[in-house]
Amino acid sequence: MNGPADPIPVLLYHAVMEDPPDWIAEFTVTPRRFREHLDAVVDSGRTAVPVSALAARGAGSGAVSLPGRPVVLTFDDGFADLPGPTAEALAARALPATAYLTTGAVTPGRSSLLPPAPMMTLAQAPALEQHGIEVGAHTVTHPQLDTLPPRLVRRELRESKLVLEGVLGHAVDHLAYPHGYSSRAVRRVARDVGYVSAVAVRHALSSPVGDTFRIARLIVRRSHTAADVAAWMAGRGARPAPGRDSPATVGWRLYRRARTAVRGVEFAG
């Protein structure tokens, strides 16, 4: 049996659709496979919680107590399926989740670095909450934050937060870094702007007592089956997230910064 300090699977989904655009296809699952994934979560006996519960526990707050075997389901960007069949599949199984919206991609008349795809609209954000999906921010334009100067990082994080708070009518406290990319400087700005947690990617199991601004997630690809999800629920098939960035991660960040200096801000897909 898993204890309260055991690693926690935090799953990262993007689109759930039959015929996705090529650029997001690798990170898209079909509705049928998605339902199979959710059934594997339910069958595992784990209890789904939103990111806010995990963040509160990681921050040492006594206000929220995690169940013995938690799991967190997250969704990035805000694809069109999210407020409809995806939310309904979650609600039918009483599974709460957290969705991080790229405000420039879901707001009519605005733009982002994301290539074209069917997206939900900002006006549908309250409907997510009605289905038990917590809403967080995923910046305005989806840049690689760790390649930007601090003033632009602040603008991306602050504006997306304010836009979502305006439509939801309450504080938006949780952030997802685009592409999972962050740095100490980015994390410092996120705290200063007023977020209380932020999720990365790292394709690893998350620590319940780790840094609440570097929550690790397992990225779900189209090849992942219900058996893969069941293995993650059992704590197999992925390592616990390391405490520090590896030399390879640091080197990749330096390369991307140099590329941005030459090419300008661009989508990293």
Side-chain angles (χ1 to χ4, degrees):
M1 179 177 292
N2 296 75
D6 288 323
I8 297 170
V10 182
L11 274 57
L12 163 56
Y13 286 93
H14 288 85
V16 179
M17 61 180 69
E18 293 286 354
D19 189 23
D22 289 344
W23 70 271
I24 197 63
E26 177 64 22
F27 306 106
T28 297
V29 296
T30 65
R32 177 179 178 179
R33 177 152 289 185
F34 181 63
R35 293 191 296 270
E36 293 171 349
H37 286 189
L38 297 186
D39 290 340
V41 171
V42 172
D43 292 345
S44 74
R46 285 189 176 268
T47 301
V49 297
V51 161
S52 56
L54 181 59
R57 178 60 179 268
S61 170
V64 177
S65 178
L66 282 177
R69 301 183 68 240
V71 59
V72 183
L73 305 173
T74 70
F75 299 80
D76 279 9
D77 299 326
F79 291 92
D81 61 273
L82 185 57
T86 297
E88 291 164 5
L90 291 162
R93 295 161 177 80
L95 295 173
T98 301
Y100 297 99
L101 305 184
T102 303
T103 57
V106 301
T107 304
R110 297 298 303 272
S111 62
S112 75
L113 296 170
L114 294 174
M119 306 298 290
M120 63 175 282
T121 65
L122 183 64
Q124 292 176 301
L128 297 180
E129 295 188 329
Q130 294 169 10
H131 281 94
I133 300 177
E134 178 177 67
V135 175
H138 198 36
T139 73
V140 179
T141 67
H142 206 281
Q144 302 172 64
L145 291 172
D146 60 345
T147 68
L148 301 182
R151 63 180 179 82
L152 295 184
V153 173
R154 182 174 296 274
R155 180 189 301 172
E156 288 279 346
L157 300 191
R158 185 173 184 273
E159 181 180 331
S160 56
K161 188 177 194 294
L162 291 175
V163 166
L164 290 170
E165 289 175 345
V167 73
L168 294 171
H170 60 72
V172 171
D173 295 330
H174 307 288
L175 169 70
Y177 305 118
H179 310 289
Y181 295 148
S182 74
S183 64
R184 288 183 181 178
V186 170
R187 295 190 287 273
R188 184 165 53 249
V189 173
R191 289 183 174 92
D192 291 346
V193 167
Y195 291 101
V196 300
S197 84
V199 292
V201 180
R202 311 182 80 188
H203 198 64
L205 297 165
S206 181
S207 167
V209 293
D211 186 348
T212 54
F213 282 81
R214 295 182 73 203
I215 297 172
R217 295 188 289 174
L218 295 158
I219 188 165
V220 180
R221 297 175 181 268
R222 60 182 173 184
S223 59
H224 286 130
T225 66
D228 294 315
V229 173
W232 292 338
M233 296 303 104
R236 303 190 307 270
R239 73 191 195 289
R244 298 181 178 181
D245 289 339
S246 68
T249 297
V250 174
W252 178 235
R253 181 183 303 138
L254 293 174
Y255 168 76
R256 289 184 293 100
R257 285 177 177 171
R259 186 175 62 186
T260 298
V262 174
R263 300 181 181 179
V265 179
E266 60 184 2
F267 181 66

